[in-house]
Amino acid sequence: MSVAKTSSANELPVKTDPLGTLQLLDDAQEWSAFSRPAQQQPGCWESNVLIEGMHCAACALTIEDALKSVPGVLKAEVSAGSHRAKVVWAEQQVAPSGWMHAVQDAGYRALPANDAFARERRKVEARKALWRMMVAGLCMMQVMMYAYPAYTAQPGDLSSEMEQLLRWASWVLSLPVLLFSCGPFFKNAWRDVLHRRVSMDLPVALGMLITFAVSTAGTFEPTGMFGAEVYFDSFTMFVFFLLTGRWLELRLRDKTAGALDALMNRLPEGVDRLKTDGSYERVPVRRLKVDDVIRVLPGEAFAADGVVVQGVTSVDESLLTGESRPISRGVGDEVISGSHNLSAQVQIKVMHVGDDTRFAQIVKLMESASTTKPSLAHLADTIAKPFLIGVLLAAGLACAYGWSTDPEKALMVAVSVLVVTCPCALSLATPAAMLSAAGALAARGVLVRRLDAFESLAAIDTVMFDKTGTLTRDAMVLGRVQVRQGVSEQQALSAAAALASQSLHPVSKAIVAAAQLQQLEPLWLVTQVTELAGQGVEGVLHENTFSAEPLSVRLGSASFCHVSESVTDTLRVYLADQKGWLASFELQEDIRQDAAQTVAVLKRHGIAVHLLSGDASDAAARVAASVGITEVRGHCSPQEKLDFLKNAQLQGRKVAVVGDGLNDGPVLAGAHASFAFGQAVPLAQAQADFLVPSGRLTHVLDAYLLSKRTLAVVRQNLTWAAVYNSVCVPLAVLGWLPAWAAGLGMASSSLLVVLNALRLSKHTQFDRDF
């Protein structure tokens, strides 16, 4: 896919597409690059796009209205925090170019979320913003130098000629600020006027224009209506403050929402594919097919899920799984698309490509989170436009009230009102904090599907755990070993491991793992191996320590080994030879190492913890006792789990559910907040709010503690926005707030909100009270 490069977001064509780049996206083969079929809506697609040219919540509402006006667009959500949009459209009614042109006609630009030039355009935009700010700052310092004598001179110190010369010098130095630094404000304001709408740039541009016009009139006609004083110092100062705030906000926004961009841009543009003659050809990633063999060099990312067929290397999977340490991968080991090859060249046989990869599934989930709007953000966006209209009316009334007595002062009061009243802090308060928190969790390997989930999770008072795959791993571990007299546990385990190594059954894997953990040497050669499905495996051991003769042994169930067994819930396997019973191996579920700590910390925070399992009651009780859970129920069907959840909610409880995502769909969907565990989570479970592919239970604590901090930051941001407007607006209306202070207040209000939200993205260890 090719997308034309443009100079910047503020210099985009409004109604033209000279290269026809949007029409290229109408090819159905291109849709998969930025869209996917909409769930439960046949014939519809869900697209995620970047929006360039946005500055405030009013812009988001304008773009949403433009998209929804296009026939065939079923749903549109635009996030002012991440500058991303989610569009659901019917392929029989509209093509992508249709609704993208609607965005372009509204004065903005929609680009595929994975557009190759998006990052470069952001860099260009940031550089131009920096240049505008530097020009404004340099001119401001010079203008302040020329304005200083007027503030400090005593009567008679300055002649009228000298004062006029200083005004002319200030006017000349203000021209670059007006023509270059203020350019984006005026362009966006003119766009709003043409489209008969209002955004934050309109009142700001009016304030700038009025200030410069009044000061220019005072310079050209010192004896006229506006000749008493000029405000070039205020003009250049509040332009510098506004540009500084926007530049810092741009940098901070990229940083707080950068986890998604970092994730989406991990795949290389091309890969080296092995040809039949042994040479390599460079091909685009999307041309890869299953069973292709590709070469991955050190420093490159894996372009597809696959298996190592040649070489040994270290792999960084931190952004995908939360595993902070490099992981060794050799022949036969699986690698994940999006992870990085760190140390050596390897060859990979491709197993999954495109949307079937775990990387694509994770990106889909993070895209969904970045375009969702929390309820508080919806409220802020709803009042943004009426607020701006109110600002214009307030400025007009303030000017009209003071015009008869002092027109010059009345105009400057109107300027202060126009500049100081900014809904940006209010609209950014919630999404900035939640996007920052989602990025922090993504860096730990936890994926957030809904930003609203932070609000729900912070309010929980009950957690319901599933057992298998959640508190325990899918694998089993060896517990107690009993042996026949004359045989040591090490000998019996070594013999059982030799036979078990010939089987792929989970029980066999557990016995082999136990032998490896004890570093037992392989003492036998196994021949004549036969496995009976569901029963066990038998074979002949050579060169054993029990006898000089080959030993025929069986490993498996009691009936398979001809051993009598008492009724018990404990899983046991037996080893037998020609003489009969040789050893018994008791297998237990592998409880996660952090399970007990997680439960203890949750209880310490006053949260009730329950365990509901579909397994036998005794097995569930043993696991519950091991991790410190007292409220436990076994033999629970999915419906019984859902009934428990509904009853708890009827009692006013706020319940979070933690499950493995395989058979807990209804209860995960019905919970106030939900976590799905396991490697297959991104594909198998679409109901959970938080996805934990790494399977670390401490991530539940991270999410809970971070949600509490996030809601606290949201409240702080909303409080600041409310206090700022309630204090500064009356001061501006009364004429007690000069224009430069209004510009400083406007810039600092949004900047403070984003800086406060940025604290959530710090990669610090949460205080889990372990």
Side-chain angles (χ1 to χ4, degrees), residues 296-315:
V296 184
L297 300 176
E300 292 183 343
F302 295 99
D305 293 350
V307 176
V308 179
V309 295
Q310 185 182 96
V312 178
T313 188
S314 296
V315 177

Side-chain angles (χ1 to χ4, degrees), residues 49-134:
V49 293
L50 295 169
I51 304 295
E52 291 187 345
M54 286 181 56
H55 294 294
C56 65
C59 296
L61 292 179
T62 297
I63 297 169
E64 285 184 1
D65 292 341
L67 287 168
K68 292 176 181 177
S69 67
V70 178
V73 173
L74 309 180
K75 182 180 180 182
E77 288 187 357
V78 181
S79 171
S82 64
H83 289 200
R84 290 177 177 267
K86 178 171 67 177
V87 185
V88 179
W89 49 280
E91 61 178 305
Q92 298 297 327
Q93 296 179 263
V94 66
S97 63
W99 50 264
M100 285 188 177
H101 269 302
V103 176
Q104 193 166 291
D105 291 341
Y108 304 90
R109 187 183 183 94
L111 295 168
N114 61 346
D115 176 58
F117 299 116
R119 177 172 294 186
E120 185 62 29
R121 272 192 294 271
R122 285 199 300 272
K123 290 181 180 179
V124 172
E125 182 183 359
R127 284 196 295 267
K128 287 200 171 186
L130 181 60
W131 271 108
R132 292 188 182 98
M133 180 189 71
M134 292 174 63

Side-chain angles (χ1 to χ4, degrees), residues 402-417:
W403 184 266
S404 58
T405 56
D406 191 341
E408 185 177 20
K409 183 179 179 181
L411 283 172
M412 295 312 297
V413 167
V415 168
S416 296
V417 174

Side-chain angles (χ1 to χ4, degrees), residues 615-638:
D615 289 353
S617 297
D618 289 347
R622 280 195 300 271
V623 172
S626 300
V627 300
I629 298 177
T630 56
E631 301 294 330
V632 55
R633 290 173 56 183
H635 292 294
C636 288
S637 66

Side-chain angles (χ1 to χ4, degrees), residues 578-599:
Q578 297 94 327
K579 298 179 182 179
W581 175 78
L582 184 61
S584 300
F585 302 95
E586 184 176 308
L587 295 171
Q588 302 172 346
E589 292 179 287
D590 186 12
I591 299 175
R592 297 186 188 274
Q593 293 181 349
D594 53 359
Q597 294 175 325
T598 300
V599 171

